[in-house]
Amino acid sequence: MLRIASRVGLLLFMLSSAVFAQPQKRGAGKNPKPAMAGYLFAYFTGNAKAEEQIHFALSSDGLKYRALNHNQPVLSSAAISSTGGVRDPHIMRGADGKTFYMVATDMVSGNGWSSNRAMVLLKSTDLINWSSSVVNVPQRFAGQDSLLRVWAPQTIYDKKSGRYMLYWSMKYGNEPDKIYYAFANKDFTDLATEPKQLFYSPDNAACIDGDIVEKDGMFYLFFKTEDQHPGIKVAVSDKLTGGYTMLSADYVQQTNKPVEGAGTFELNDGSGFVLMYDMYTSSKYQFTKTTDLKNFTIIDEEISMNFHPRHGTVMPVTEDECRRLLSKWGTVEDAFAFPANAAIKPINTVVDSAQKNISISVQPGTSLEQFNPQWRPLPGAIVQLQQPGFVQGKASYQVSLGNQPAAAWTVQLTTPHNPVLAGYYADPDVLYAEQTGKYYIYPTSDGFNGWSGTYFKAFSSTDLVNWHDEGVILDLEKDVSWAKRNAWAPCIIEKKINGRYKYFYYFTAAQKIGVAVADHPTGPFTDIGKPLVVERPAGVKGGQEIDPEVFEDPKTGKTYLYWGNGHMAVVELNEDMISYKPESLQIITPTDKTFREGTTVFYRNGLYYFLWSEDDTRSVNYRVRYGTAASPLGPIQIPANNLVIAKDEAKGIYGTGHNSVLNVPGTDDWYIVYHRFNYPNGINMGSAAGFHREVCFDKMEFLPNGSIAVVKPTHEGVSALPAANTGQYKLVWADEFNEAGKPDSTKWSYEHGFVRNEEAQWYQPDNAFCAHGKLIIESRKETKPNPNFVAGSNNWRTNRDSIRYTSACLITKGKKAWQFGRFEMRAKIDISAGMWPAWWTLGISKPWPGNGEIDIMEYYRGKLLANIASLGADKKAAWFSNTFSTDSLGAAAWAGKFHVWRMDWTKDDIALYLDDVLLNKTPVALLTNKDGSGFNPFLQPHYMLINVAVGGMNGGDPTGTTFPKRMEVDYVRVYQKQ
């Protein structure tokens, strides 16, 4: 297809100081609404009595929250309640704009869910100091003998009567829970009116957790249907105190997991409302956004919290209020909590308050000179970079929290290789895949209370240092019918069957072991539809059927599955790899009484090595031991000193366990992959450290007698290996898109306007930006005048009076071009009707098509294309193309994931790949221009372009597509042989 390149420069000026939340302007009027700068989240944390207390967190944007007071309570439940516990706090600003009201359930859940009869009322003028009173409904009002419980009170101001109305749920005898209301007295210390039923359920179902929000003169009551089919529904009325009718029969939560505690708040920028709710069995909150309180979009990817809240509420707050809160409960970590630069590993920041030094861990390979962390401090915090900025990874900042005096802090950047994965992950299994020549880690997704994660991810690397998130490869909720909880401790094996590679992925779910199968190391994986291991082996008492390990005996070719907590079981798998021989089942638990879980098996120099974890994963002493055997079935011999790896208190490394082992192919180089407590915070988390873990790599060595030398856990990790699948290729250019904002102007410029192929979009730089470590190219449906319009013109670029779609095209022309090499891009594309994304190159000499074109990635109208074009004998483009249906790949499910497109270009061939599968390989000799010149456009440098077109000659009709649409690019890299 015809493509015409244009060159446009862009000057991008990046501020090195902090990004501050900007308050809204005050409106005119007698009682102007205070300007809001942030958000205050009031919540409790769990069902233990010590967790049933009020906590506060702050946010600048309503999406990213930081717990105040080190996530410790800001009020003592013992001091404010009758039971010693409070739950479900609701906080609101009074009608005067400067008084605050908070109400909570007076309850200790350990006493039973029908054990409480009271609520707590609190009042403050500064958010710091609160007066409180307890209202016990049976003691306050007559006729309450059958009252069983009082749950989840909230407050709203009734403009009509000028009073504060409380509403909550109560249950009487065998009746369902119902939502009642009453008005508070003037001092907000008691109820002034008798409770009345507020909402009448049309099916008399139980209703709890009411939350009312006013919009356009209507009152929207969000509530949970507690019995029958629990979930969140909405009723609407034009009167606050009654007349509520169902908005629809639909549930508004965007998950099939149990939920409670709906809370709504309006965003300070006026862009809409957030509906959030407590996914109480999943240890997480889900956030959704809405503009009409009827249609809701999940925004979980934008949410960040350093705590696990339970049923709470959010209230907008002013800059002054944020200062007060930070002055009382803030720490310097709160000022540095939210860097926008994706190269930073935020959970590994080390703060030395005595020396006023902060150590920031960044991804390997990050330049430490003039680094821009892009801090997004909480409102009320000021972070100011001092000149000359970062020099050799070190810089000085002036930091102030609220009304506290400013202080000088030093920020030091470090590039430790451990942890190797950014975020909370555990129980890693490692694989070298022959099919792709890459290494893969398959971990447990961690960071969920009580190990309650429900999905598995994979990560890939060519050098053991730089790891790339391949996304979710198996989701219990979507992909597994027989279990929906506790996704733990997977393992994987690569098999070549009838000339094709297959991957068998064994995993724990609901304390059973399943298996899923794929044709590629990153899936898609298909569960076989039933668990492989269900019951405890005969004769075994206690323990769990978890932690699978799969091992192929290199001597016999037989494959074995190991598993167990408290016992080590082994069974021989059948050739289909998804069933086993029951008669082969054995228990081979090591005899030294240190075995807990996490079996790993490997073979070296005639010996079978068995590794396992000792103690509890919540313990600082969780560690790895080993034994050896002459057979994969044991018996296991225990060496005198069989410790493999353990904590190093001097380094702050704890809980080193549940490992796997990697042997680099063709060598005797061995590595241990394991998890540890999060550094540096895990040691202060108590038992929660056992589900806030991170994955590390260290070298493992053997003594001359074959015994394993004790491994010293490190922060430094391992050195990068020569890239396993790149031969002598070396990275010569890359953009990781880690800095939020505009793309790097030293690498990219833009095309402008209507450019080629009669496409519908107007190219403009505004549609390209970086966020969350990704380049976003956003196609929008927006109408504005065409500045180049000429009435009566025959040129399609100028005869359109208006622009109806906009998008972006990034181009390296004039900045960088390459001749030969490996080009790689990891991206996610949208395949909706009318979308035409592409990543392609053009030669620097000759007009098109004589300059040569390579479409490494192109999509339109249901097809992926791998194209190469030069000048044909007819003076038109001669195409060397292959096309592939996206339906055959999985259609929308395929498009919803990231994929890797690659070009290997040498003087001999051009080969185009998708996820390591060859799509097109064309000899360069065939690509010489057919104009008699002898010029081959693929023996000259090419520059690259990334764009999303809309409509046009090939893109299809976009009129039925809902915009905006996005292409997300994780990275673009160019390697060349040295």
Side-chain angles (χ1 to χ4, degrees), residues 833-848:
M835 307 311 298
W836 189 355
W839 176 42
W840 48 301
T841 73
L842 290 171
I844 61 172
S845 297
K846 306 283 186 183
W848 189 90

Side-chain angles (χ1 to χ4, degrees), residues 426 446 451 616-619 675 677 685-693:
D446 215 21
W451 308 282
D616 189 294
T617 192
R618 293 165 290 190
S619 168
H675 73 235
F677 287 1
M685 291 182 179
S687 63
F691 40 83
H692 288 85
R693 300 161 293 179

Side-chain angles (χ1 to χ4, degrees), residues 390-672:
F390 278 91
V391 177
Q392 295 183 346
K394 184 180 290 187
S396 296
Y397 282 86
Q398 282 288 318
V399 181
S400 62
L401 291 170
N403 299 318
Q404 299 175 15
W409 284 78
T410 298
V411 173
Q412 176 70 59
L413 303 178
T414 63
T415 56
H417 291 178
N418 280 334
V420 293
L421 307 182
Y424 297 120
Y425 298 95
D427 312 325
D429 196 58
V430 64
L431 170 75
Y432 172 77
E434 290 183 356
Q435 179 183 358
T436 65
K438 293 182 179 180
Y439 302 96
Y440 296 86
I441 291 177
Y442 301 88
T444 297
S445 297
D446 215 21
F448 302 100
N449 280 348
W451 308 282
S452 58
T454 58
Y455 60 84
F456 295 99
K457 301 181 83 172
F459 298 81
S460 67
S461 175
T462 59
D463 61 9
L464 303 186
V465 170
N466 298 285
W467 291 88
H468 309 294
D469 188 343
E470 298 288 353
V472 174
I473 60 169
L474 191 71
D475 188 328
L476 300 187
E477 295 181 12
K478 300 176 182 177
D479 305 326
V480 177
S481 60
W482 50 269
K484 303 295 182 183
R485 60 180 175 84
N486 303 123
W488 300 345
C491 67
I492 193 168
I493 191 169
E494 179 184 60
K495 290 276 190 175
K496 199 168 188 179
I497 301 173
N498 297 324
R500 297 186 62 185
Y501 285 101
K502 288 284 186 180
Y503 298 86
F504 298 91
Y505 183 80
Y506 303 87
F507 59 94
T508 305
Q511 287 70 49
K512 300 178 180 67
I513 294 173
V515 58
V517 186
D519 297 324
H520 190 273
T522 60
F525 283 89
T526 301
D527 177 63
I528 65 170
K530 61 183 179 179
L532 182 61
V533 176
V534 179
E535 298 177 344
R536 193 175 296 138
V540 172
K541 296 181 179 180
Q544 302 177 78
E545 309 319 298
I546 63 174
D547 297 359
E549 161 71 350
V550 61
F551 169 72
E552 180 179 340
D553 184 355
K555 294 174 67 175
T556 65
K558 294 180 179 180
T559 306
Y560 298 90
L561 183 71
Y562 303 79
W563 74 88
N565 164 277
H567 57 273
M568 185 191 291
V570 59
V571 71
E572 183 183 342
L573 292 168
N574 289 316
E575 289 187 3
D576 64 8
M577 299 294 289
I578 60 173
S579 63
Y580 62 81
K581 301 174 180 178
E583 69 279 5
S584 68
L585 177 62
Q586 296 185 45
I587 304 300
I588 59 171
T589 309
T591 57
D592 66 346
K593 298 183 179 180
T594 62
F595 179 85
R596 177 62 174 255
E597 60 199 8
T599 301
T600 294
V601 183
F602 65 90
Y603 179 82
R604 178 183 182 270
N605 292 348
L607 276 180
Y608 297 87
Y609 289 78
F610 294 78
L611 280 66
W612 62 88
S613 294
E614 177 187 11
D615 211 331
D616 189 294
T617 192
R618 293 165 290 190
S619 168
V620 296
N621 294 315
Y622 196 55
R623 52 193 171 184
V624 177
R625 293 192 180 273
Y626 84 101
T628 61
S631 160
L633 302 175
I636 299 172
Q637 304 299 317
I638 310 298
N641 179 11
N642 71 334
L643 184 66
V644 177
I645 191 169
K647 68 183 179 183
D648 188 331
E649 294 181 271
K651 297 177 181 177
I653 298 175
Y654 300 94
T656 53
H658 202 127
N659 72 288
S660 59
V661 169
L662 172 70
N663 174 220
V664 176
T667 75
D668 194 33
D669 294 334
W670 295 79
Y671 295 87
I672 183 170

Side-chain angles (χ1 to χ4, degrees), residues 943-978:
Y943 58 89
M944 73 173 72
L945 307 90
I946 307 177
N947 67 277
V948 179
V950 180
M953 293 178 176
N954 290 323
D957 184 3
T959 55
T961 295
T962 301
F963 285 81
K965 294 297 182 185
R966 288 182 168 189
M967 174 181 175
E968 299 183 29
V969 182
D970 187 12
Y971 59 77
V972 178
R973 297 174 182 152
V974 180
Y975 302 84
Q976 289 184 325
K977 289 188 176 181
Q978 301 303 298

Side-chain angles (χ1 to χ4, degrees), residues 754 762-767 780-787 789 800-807:
F754 295 125
W762 175 272
Y763 280 139
Q764 58 186 25
D766 286 350
N767 293 57
R780 304 166 187 158
K781 188 174 184 178
E782 52 185 343
T783 302
K784 49 188 177 181
N786 178 1
F789 173 64
R800 300 174 177 179
D801 62 352
S802 62
I803 298 162
R804 292 179 173 82
Y805 299 92
T806 61
S807 189

